[in-house]
């Protein structure tokens, strides 16, 4: 069985996912944009039977932003952590994976709510690593 692990930035909270994952979902709603400070949340929907915490259960802080929207972050580094919001699945923030996923984005949600800047401009530049200045 394939096992992938993940953790927060400081390594205080760790988890494992057993088996295959059905690809990445990207939510562009305004709540996910605010919570992430970016284009939205990128998540993996993982059945509860496949998910387990390995370490750091005491390092999570959950914030209830709305009745249907909560976010859990590491108490030490602030990394958004997998959410336990229903009885069926964990909603794992894709960026916390430590192992390659070997899959890609399968769903974009709330596309009508995308930020107006969430588009590549003509001439957009790509770097394998960070650029050395704004004019590179």
């Amino acid at each position: 069985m394939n096992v992938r692990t993940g953790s927060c930035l400081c390594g205080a909270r760790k988890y494992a996912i057993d088996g295959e994952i059905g690809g990445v979902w990207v939510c562009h709603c305004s709540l996910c944009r605010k919570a992430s400070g970016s284009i939205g949340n990128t998540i993996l929907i993982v059945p509860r039977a496949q998910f387990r915490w390995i370490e750091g259960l005491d390092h999570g802080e959950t914030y209830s932003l709305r009745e249907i929207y909560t976010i859990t972050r590491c108490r030490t580094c602030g990394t958004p952590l997998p959410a336990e919001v229903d009885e069926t699945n964990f909603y794992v923030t894709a960026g916390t994976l430590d192992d390659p996923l070997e899959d890609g984005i399968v769903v974009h949600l709330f596309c009508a709510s995308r930020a107006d800047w969430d588009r590549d401009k003509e001439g957009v530049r790509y770097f394998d690593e960070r650029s050395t200045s704004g004019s590179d």
Side-chain angles (χ1 to χ4, degrees):
M1 180 185 327
N2 194 11
V3 177
R4 289 181 179 88
T5 59
S7 62
C8 61
L9 187 60
C10 72
R13 196 137 193 219
K14 298 177 182 174
Y15 63 85
I17 299 171
D18 300 315
E20 294 306 310
I21 303 168
V24 178
W25 293 52
V26 180
C27 182
H28 298 276
C29 79
S30 61
L31 294 174
C32 285
R33 283 199 322 270
K34 291 284 187 177
S36 70
S38 186
I39 65 166
N41 278 331
T42 53
I43 60 168
L44 312 167
I45 300 176
V46 179
R48 281 187 173 268
Q50 289 179 245
F51 183 92
R52 58 192 154 87
W53 290 108
I54 297 172
E55 197 174 310
L57 281 175
D58 60 338
H59 268 73
E61 186 71 38
T62 300
Y63 302 92
S64 295
L65 305 173
R66 303 258 164 85
E67 186 176 324
I68 60 166
Y69 194 95
T70 63
I71 187 166
T72 301
R73 294 185 176 274
C74 173
R75 286 184 178 164
T76 303
C77 65
T79 298
L81 296 166
E84 306 175 50
V85 295
D86 67 42
E87 301 297 319
T88 309
N89 299 305
F90 271 82
Y91 299 86
V92 178
T93 43
T96 61
L97 278 175
D98 295 330
D99 300 316
L101 182 59
E102 299 172 357
D103 208 340
I105 296 170
V106 295
V107 174
H108 284 271
L109 301 169
F110 291 96
C111 291
S113 297
R114 285 173 87 164
D116 65 345
W117 48 261
D118 182 8
R119 314 260 186 280
D120 285 348
K121 289 182 70 168
E122 186 176 328
V124 66
R125 299 170 298 154
Y126 291 87
F127 298 91
D128 287 339
E129 298 194 17
R130 71 178 173 179
S131 70
T132 55
S133 73
S135 62
D136 285 8

